[in-house]
Amino acid sequence: MKRTYIILSFVLASSLVFAQNKDTQVADRLFKRFEFIKAAESYLKLVASQNADGYVYRQLADCYYNIYNTKEATKWYSKAITQKQDAEVYYRYAQMLKANGNYQESNKQMQKFAALQPNDSRTKIFIENPNYFPVLLDQIKSFDIKMVDINSDKSDFGAFLEGNSIYFTSARNSSSKIYSWTKEPFLDIYKANLNEDGTISNIELLKELNSKYHDGSVSISQDGNTMYFTSDSFRENSFEKDKANKLKLGRNNIYSAKFVNGKWDEITSLPFNSKDFSSGNPSISRDGKTLFFSSNRPGSIGGVDIWKVSISETGSYGTPENLGNKINSEGNDSFPFITSENVLYFSSDAKQGIGAMDVYKIDLNSDSEVKNLGKPVNSEKDDFAFSFNENKKIGFVASNRNGNDDIFQLLPVCNYEVNTIVTNAITGAILAEANVSILDDKNNIISSLKSNSKGEVSYTVDCEKPYTIQAIKDGFESNSFDVKASNKKGGSINISAALNPITAIITETEVLLNPIFFEYNNSNITQQGAFELDKLVQIMKNNEKLIIFVKSHTDNRGSDEFNLLLSDKRAKATIQYVISNGIAVNRISGKGFGEKEPKVDCKNNCSDEANEQNRRSEFLIVK
């Protein structure tokens, strides 16, 4: 149901540009009328009669895409792409594969989409980080999640807690009027009581708000007196006529209502609604001055974007503003929720997520980037309509992970913020654009960000677990900073990441660094080794004519032949690290010398310290 109410209830997934013929006329007409279940049945008859081609397969896939039958959509997209298709088909196929947990094949289809749409923001995000999925799975859990006893066998979503009342949207009503897209009743707004013991009771239909078409989801002002909700424009008899398909095309509009004498009254259509585009999924800021919403109005970057509009003290509305391409994409970005601290939560089907649609957040007060909430809030399916009550510390999210749109309750887990400020250790100057990573106690990188204009980076971490902050900046020595386990539930700690400017010694014959040590019987670059090699990289960038020859050595444990091979691997690993950081391949070479040139000539009586000194690399100046 979510896909029918994301905003674009009247925009088709298919482009309908080729291979239509008299055999597909009936199915095509049903498709254009958004009767996707009947359309699928009609297309299947063509398949059964062996009268199907790439067009029919694509139309079938798009039918199932629009009603979110991921398995059937995947099945028919796989047949459709045996013939040439437009880029969006490969993107939708990738989304459906991801929704079924097939990330490897999803990436293959994304590569095809990227080849056809190289300038699309979805392509750029994918190319920058194609192996994003393991990182999402490893990130810190923000919430525990549980299903609530408010759900029905129909679509339920959009839960919003105000006081002890939960407002939500559902298709559970007994109306005989059926929405042809989904074969479910139209959506209505409901209300229920949240009891002290966490149970839910007294579910009731809010008759004064609902029309005979789609209604919901809602947002309520902090004083509880004003509600903003979505409803079809049909309630005002506003629509466009599609004479060719004998269809009336309505839009989603936003309405306000006032709580008067114990009920919602004075329903008013907001002035920026239009019969030419949709607006919906409102979220009012706690101060009541800004309304966030979703819309496909002119100026949108993608199918659906997130917008905001100011509200004056007299109740007049400003001009809607698009939130820009940091938040919005060429896909659908919807279901905004704004907190009192100006943190925006929203759902997107075009960013790097775990499923087809994931929940993300961004702090609008800072230069921070959009962050995926990870599991368990997000799943392989669609996750959307996030909300959070800051007084009761209870949130809700909707998901079709169990095959139907259901409401889940969110309880925040114990975590806190690690705020890092990167500075010049000598002058104290702020260092922007530094690469700052946070590592767990096993030295796995959880996340990496660049410091903002104030030198800041913030991470949310689990309570009572140790972490390490690693900071890297051109021209400075890389360094790491311990973050001790903390019990600061919901609090924060500050880490000062002061980096020393690189001051390596350069003689006439050699660049002198601290020893590049290797672990015994290993050629991998260690963290300490990377810090030192970063100095060499910076020196070579500052001296463009400098050419380096790397000599790699081992201790005397192991055979001569083995040590010679190992040292050569270490030399190559060193060279590759330097090249990977922007140094031309013709400016650095090297060779392994095994145990032939020990720094400490201790033969068979070497101490551990002597062995460490013999396992080294040297950097000779060739030119």
Side-chain angles (χ1 to χ4, degrees), residues 441-595:
D441 56 357
K442 297 179 182 178
N443 285 329
N444 296 313
I445 295 178
I446 299 171
S447 182
S448 293
L449 296 172
K450 286 188 178 294
S451 58
N452 62 22
S453 59
K454 298 178 182 179
E456 300 168 334
V457 170
S458 293
Y459 291 107
T460 302
V461 299
D462 277 347
C463 293
E464 300 179 357
K465 286 186 179 181
Y467 296 89
T468 301
I469 293 291
Q470 185 181 101
I472 300 172
K473 172 72 174 177
D474 283 352
F476 292 81
E477 295 182 14
S478 303
N479 207 347
S480 59
F481 308 87
D482 291 335
V483 181
K484 295 181 179 180
S486 172
N487 59 0
K488 287 181 174 289
K489 183 175 182 180
S492 64
I493 62 172
N494 297 320
I495 299 293
S496 176
L499 302 182
N500 287 307
I502 289 176
T503 55
I505 299 174
I506 306 175
T507 71
E508 290 185 0
T509 59
E510 189 175 359
V511 175
L512 297 177
L513 303 174
N514 291 323
I516 309 295
F517 293 130
F518 294 87
E519 295 179 2
Y520 172 64
N521 196 21
N522 201 320
S523 62
N524 293 336
I525 300 295
T526 64
Q527 185 182 79
Q528 176 273 342
F531 285 170
E532 292 302 313
L533 289 176
D534 287 340
K535 298 180 186 179
L536 178 65
V537 169
Q538 190 61 44
I539 289 168
M540 296 184 74
K541 287 181 177 179
N542 293 341
N543 299 271
E544 295 182 354
K545 295 182 179 180
L546 195 64
I547 297 177
I548 296 294
F549 181 80
V550 181
K551 294 180 69 174
S552 183
H553 308 273
T554 68
D555 56 37
N556 60 12
R557 291 176 290 182
S559 68
D560 291 352
E561 182 180 358
F562 175 81
N563 283 338
L564 192 63
L565 180 62
L566 178 61
S567 64
D568 205 53
K569 287 182 179 179
R570 289 175 174 173
K572 289 177 179 177
T574 300
I575 292 166
Q576 288 303 311
Y577 182 89
V578 173
I579 292 172
S580 70
N581 281 275
I583 301 302
V585 66
N586 62 350
R587 294 184 59 201
I588 185 166
S589 60
K591 182 180 178 182
F593 288 81
E595 58 185 87

Side-chain angles (χ1 to χ4, degrees), residues 52-79:
D53 57 10
Y55 170 78
V56 172
Y57 294 142
R58 189 194 69 187
Q59 291 298 100
L60 254 176
D62 283 342
C63 284
Y64 290 118
Y65 176 88
N66 281 305
I67 60 175
Y68 206 76
N69 185 331
T70 61
K71 290 186 177 179
E72 287 299 308
T74 298
K75 172 183 174 181
W76 296 108
Y77 278 134
S78 69
K79 293 181 180 294

Side-chain angles (χ1 to χ4, degrees), residues 382-420:
D382 276 341
D383 306 286
F384 57 101
F386 175 99
S387 70
F388 189 74
N389 186 295
E390 292 166 280
N391 293 327
K392 295 185 177 294
K393 303 300 180 186
I394 294 174
F396 296 96
V397 71
S399 177
N400 61 5
R401 66 189 65 187
N402 294 332
N404 194 47
D405 289 344
D406 289 320
I407 296 169
F408 293 80
Q409 184 174 320
L410 303 174
L411 297 172
V413 300
C414 180
N415 53 40
Y416 66 100
E417 294 289 325
V418 176
N419 302 316
T420 303

Side-chain angles (χ1 to χ4, degrees), residues 209-221:
L209 287 174
N210 293 307
S211 67
K212 61 182 179 179
Y213 300 99
H214 284 311
D215 300 286
S217 53
V218 311
S219 181
I220 300 176
S221 62

Side-chain angles (χ1 to χ4, degrees), residues 97-130:
L97 286 164
K98 187 165 62 171
N100 287 311
N102 192 343
Y103 294 94
Q104 185 174 0
E105 185 60 33
S106 175
N107 276 4
K108 290 181 180 178
Q109 299 307 318
M110 278 300 298
Q111 288 167 356
K112 295 179 181 178
F113 169 78
L116 292 170
Q117 292 282 18
N119 296 320
D120 194 292
S121 65
R122 293 167 291 179
T123 294
K124 294 175 182 177
I125 293 171
F126 173 74
I127 295 299
E128 286 174 4
N129 189 15

Side-chain angles (χ1 to χ4, degrees), residues 162-232:
E162 180 63 31
N164 293 319
S165 298
I166 300 175
Y167 296 83
F168 67 99
T169 303
S170 178
R172 69 184 65 197
N173 69 70
S174 58
S175 170
S176 60
K177 188 172 180 60
I178 299 298
Y179 187 40
S180 59
W181 186 324
T182 60
K183 294 300 180 184
E184 283 191 358
F186 279 73
L187 296 164
D188 278 332
I189 301 169
Y190 288 78
K191 177 184 174 182
N193 292 338
L194 178 64
N195 304 314
E196 291 297 326
D197 61 359
T199 59
I200 295 172
S201 60
N202 298 329
I203 298 174
E204 61 174 314
L205 177 70
L206 290 182
K207 294 182 180 179
E208 67 266 31
L209 287 174
N210 293 307
S211 67
K212 61 182 179 179
Y213 300 99
H214 284 311
D215 300 286
S217 53
V218 311
S219 181
I220 300 176
S221 62
Q222 189 172 21
D223 61 12
N225 293 327
T226 304
M227 175 190 286
Y228 298 90
F229 67 98
T230 314
S231 183
D232 276 349

